C-alpha cells in the first residue's frame, strides 16, 4: 500500500480545517487536508460572529473574505409577538471586532480552503478516511474515488470533519449530550428586503407566538437571498419529505415578522431537515490527534456559535501543536480541552436558558442596564472566552441572578 508522510494531516476542509491548515503553513509545517466531498457544497451555519474575524485575520484569509462580497452583519434582532430587541455587536463589553458577515457557506468554505491551498496546504477532495492508528506516530487509512487506498503517516492528526465526526465514530469517542434532541427545517428564499435596508445587517431570531421553545432564523445574504429555518422538537417538524415545504411555509406565516418580511417569497432550494445535530465527546484529544469544531461538540444553532467555536478550536489547537512539534512537553487537557470548553460552556448556559425562556425574558426586558447589556452583547458576538466579562466568568450564576432581578422588577 502506498505510504505518504506529512507533518500534520487534517480531516475535513471546512472552516476549522482551512484555518488550521493556514496557521500550520505559516509556521512552516507540511499539511495534507483530506476532504470526502467536493467543493462547493451546501452547508448551514451562515451567520458568523465578530469574534471569528480575528481568527480569519490571523490565518491570512481576511482580505479574501472581505473581497468575496458577503452580506455585512453588525448584530442580531430578536422578535416575539409585539416585542423586539436589537443588539449592535459594536456596542459590547469585550474589545475586538464588532462586525462580520452573513455568508453562503458553499462560497465561504471554498474561499477559506482556497486561501489555505494558496498558502501551501495540499488539499485532496474526494478522499475518505477509513481508519486511524493512534499514537505518537498516527497513521490514517485513506481511499480515493477510484478506490485506491493509501496510508498517511503524520506527526499529528486534526479532525475537522464537522458533522461527519470521523474520529469520534472510528475511535468510539461519542458521549451523551446534556441538550435535548432538536430538529430544523430550512431553505433559502428570494426576499423582499431592499438591498440597502438596515434590516439586512442583522440576523433575525424570532420566537413562535405560542411556543417559546420554537424559534426561527432569518439570515439576509448577499444579492437579495435569505436563509430561513425553524428549530423545534423533532415531533413538531416531523412531516414526510414531500410536505416539508408546506410545513415550513405555514410556520413562517404564523410568525408576524417573518410573515411580513418573507411571506410567500419563493423557496430557492428544496426544504431540508436535520435532526439530532447536538453532539458531544468524552475528550477533545487523544494520542496523536485532536478534535476541532463540530467534530468535537455542537450545541445548537440559536446563537450562531458553531463557526466561531470551530475557528477558536483551530487557533487554540495549532498554538499547542506548534509547541509540541517543536519538542516541548504539552498538556492537551489543560492547554486545549479545558480552555476551549470554557467558552463552549458559556454558550451552553445561554442556549439552555433560551429554551427555558429565561434568556428570552432577559433579552426582552424593557429596562436593561447599559453595562449589563454590553456584557450580554459581547457573548452574543462570540466573545465567550473573555473572562473579564462576568457572564463568561460565571455564566450560570450571573444569568440566573439577572433573570431573577428582571422578574422581580
Amino acid at each position: 500500500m502506498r505510504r505518504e508522510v506529512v507533518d500534520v494531516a487534517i480531516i475535513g476542509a471546512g472552516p476549522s480545517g482551512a484555518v488550521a491548515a493556514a496557521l500550520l503553513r505559516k509556521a512552516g509545517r507540511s499539511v495534507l487536508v483530506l476532504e470526502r466531498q467536493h467543493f462547493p457544497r451546501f452547508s448551514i451555519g451562515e451567520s458568523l460572529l465578530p469574534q471569528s474575524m480575528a481568527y480569519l485575520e490571523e490565518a491570512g484569509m481576511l482580505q479574501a473574505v472581505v473581497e468575496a462580497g458577503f452580506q455585512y452583519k453588525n448584530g442580531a434582532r430578536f422578535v416575539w409577538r409585539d416585542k423586539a430587541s436589537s443588539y449592535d455587536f459594536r456596542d459590547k463589553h469585550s474589545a475586538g471586532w464588532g462586525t462580520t458577515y452573513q455568508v453562503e457557506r458553499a462560497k465561504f468554505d471554498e474561499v477559506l480552503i482556497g486561501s489555505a491551498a494558496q498558502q501551501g496546504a495540499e488539499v485532496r477532495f474526494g478522499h475518505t478516511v477509513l481508519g486511524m492508528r493512534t499514537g505518537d506516530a498516527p497513521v490514517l487509512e485513506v481511499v480515493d474515488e477510484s478506490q485506491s487506498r493509501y496510508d498517511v503517516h503524520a506527526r499529528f492528526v486534526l479532525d475537522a470533519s464537522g458533522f461527519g465526526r470521523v474520529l469520534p465514530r472510528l475511535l468510539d469517542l461519542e458521549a451523551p449530550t446534556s441538550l435535548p434532541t432538536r430538529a430544523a427545517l430550512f431553505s433559502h428564499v428570494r426576499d423582499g428586503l431592499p438591498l440597502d435596508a438596515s434590516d439586512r445587517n442583522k440576523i433575525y431570531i424570532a420566537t413562535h407566538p405560542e411556543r417559546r421553545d420554537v424559534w426561527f432564523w432569518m439570515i439576509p445574504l448577499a444579492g437579495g437571498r435569505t436563509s430561513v429555518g425553524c428549530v423545534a422538537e423533532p415531533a413538531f417538524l416531523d412531516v414526510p419529505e414531500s410536505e416539508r415545504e408546506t410545513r415550513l411555509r405555514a410556520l413562517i406565516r404564523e410568525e408576524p415578522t417573518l410573515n411580513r418580511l418573507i411571506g410567500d417569497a419563493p423557496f430557492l432550494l428544496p426544504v431540508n431537515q436535520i435532526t439530532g445535530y447536538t453532539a458531544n465527546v468524552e475528550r477533545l484529544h487523544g494520542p496523536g490527534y485532536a478534535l476541532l469544531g463540530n467534530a468535537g461538540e455542537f450545541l445548537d444553532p440559536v446563537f450562531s456559535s458553531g463557526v466561531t467555536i470551530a475557528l477558536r478550536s483551530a487557533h487554540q489547537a495549532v498554538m499547542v501543536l506548534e509547541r509540541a512539534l517543536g519538542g516541548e512537553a504539552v498538556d492537551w487537557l489543560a492547554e486545549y480541552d479545558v480552555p476551549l470548553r470554557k467558552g463552549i460552556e458559556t454558550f451552553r448556559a445561554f442556549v439552555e436558558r433560551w429554551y427555558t425562556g429565561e434568556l428570552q425574558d432577559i433579552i426582552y426586558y424593557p429596562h436593561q442596564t447599559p453595562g449589563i447589556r454590553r456584557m450580554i452583547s459581547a457573548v452574543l458576538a462570540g466573545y465567550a472566552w473573555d473572562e473579564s466579562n462576568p457572564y463568561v466568568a460565571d455564566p450560570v450564576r450571573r444569568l440566573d441572578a439577572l433573570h431573577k432581578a428582571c422578574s422581580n422588577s
Side-chain angles (χ1 to χ4, degrees), residues 161-241:
S161 59
F163 290 120
R165 299 175 63 75
V166 171
L167 293 189
R169 289 187 294 102
L170 292 176
L171 303 179
D172 194 24
L173 303 175
E174 303 281 5
T177 175
S178 63
L179 296 172
T181 300
R182 293 188 179 89
L185 282 178
F186 56 92
S187 185
H188 284 183
V189 300
R190 177 67 62 193
D191 65 64
L193 296 175
L195 292 178
D196 60 350
S198 60
D199 289 341
R200 300 195 67 85
N201 297 337
K202 291 179 173 59
I203 181 175
Y204 276 72
I205 299 174
T207 304
H208 190 279
E210 306 304 326
R211 292 191 49 162
R212 296 185 77 184
D213 64 328
V214 176
W215 64 275
F216 304 82
W217 76 72
M218 191 189 87
I219 305 172
L221 303 169
R225 192 181 186 101
T226 284
S227 172
V228 62
C230 180
V231 176
E233 295 176 353
F236 188 75
L237 302 176
D238 188 19
V239 295
E241 184 175 350

Side-chain angles (χ1 to χ4, degrees), residues 59-268:
M61 298 174 172
L62 186 59
Q63 181 176 345
V65 170
V66 169
E67 292 179 351
F70 297 118
Q71 170 64 47
Y72 170 81
K73 174 187 175 183
N74 61 24
R77 183 166 177 81
F78 297 87
V79 294
W80 178 50
R81 296 179 178 173
D82 61 345
K83 300 179 185 293
S85 181
S86 291
Y87 283 81
D88 187 328
F89 292 157
R90 294 165 295 186
D91 184 20
K92 64 187 188 313
H93 168 84
S94 302
W97 285 81
T99 62
T100 185
Y101 296 99
Q102 300 185 146
V103 302
E104 289 187 59
R105 282 289 302 277
K107 181 178 179 181
F108 177 73
D109 290 9
E110 193 171 33
V111 166
L112 297 197
I113 197 62
S115 176
Q118 288 176 355
Q119 295 181 59
E122 182 177 356
V123 184
R124 296 178 186 171
F125 295 100
H127 288 239
T128 301
V129 174
L130 300 176
M132 177 179 178
R133 186 168 72 239
T134 62
D136 292 337
V139 179
L140 294 177
E141 181 185 351
V142 185
V143 63
D144 64 20
E145 290 175 317
S146 68
Q147 298 307 304
S148 175
R149 298 193 178 203
Y150 61 97
D151 286 342
V152 176
H153 293 248
R155 298 176 66 185
F156 204 82
V157 173
L158 295 174
D159 185 355
S161 59
F163 290 120
R165 299 175 63 75
V166 171
L167 293 189
R169 289 187 294 102
L170 292 176
L171 303 179
D172 194 24
L173 303 175
E174 303 281 5
T177 175
S178 63
L179 296 172
T181 300
R182 293 188 179 89
L185 282 178
F186 56 92
S187 185
H188 284 183
V189 300
R190 177 67 62 193
D191 65 64
L193 296 175
L195 292 178
D196 60 350
S198 60
D199 289 341
R200 300 195 67 85
N201 297 337
K202 291 179 173 59
I203 181 175
Y204 276 72
I205 299 174
T207 304
H208 190 279
E210 306 304 326
R211 292 191 49 162
R212 296 185 77 184
D213 64 328
V214 176
W215 64 275
F216 304 82
W217 76 72
M218 191 189 87
I219 305 172
L221 303 169
R225 192 181 186 101
T226 284
S227 172
V228 62
C230 180
V231 176
E233 295 176 353
F236 188 75
L237 302 176
D238 188 19
V239 295
E241 184 175 350
S242 61
E243 298 177 20
R244 288 174 181 170
E245 182 172 327
T246 301
R247 179 62 171 148
L248 182 55
R249 180 71 69 192
L251 288 166
I252 289 171
R253 288 172 178 154
E254 290 175 10
E255 202 294 305
T257 298
L258 265 66
N259 187 40
R260 173 174 58 85
L261 294 173
I262 294 177
D264 294 326
F267 289 119
L268 301 177

Side-chain angles (χ1 to χ4, degrees), residues 348-362 395-397 399-400:
R348 187 192 307 279
F350 276 63
V351 168
E352 289 173 342
R353 281 151 187 80
W354 171 265
Y355 283 103
T356 62
E358 295 170 88
L359 186 59
Q360 296 181 43
D361 291 340
I362 292 170
V396 170
R397 186 177 67 84
L399 285 172
D400 289 350

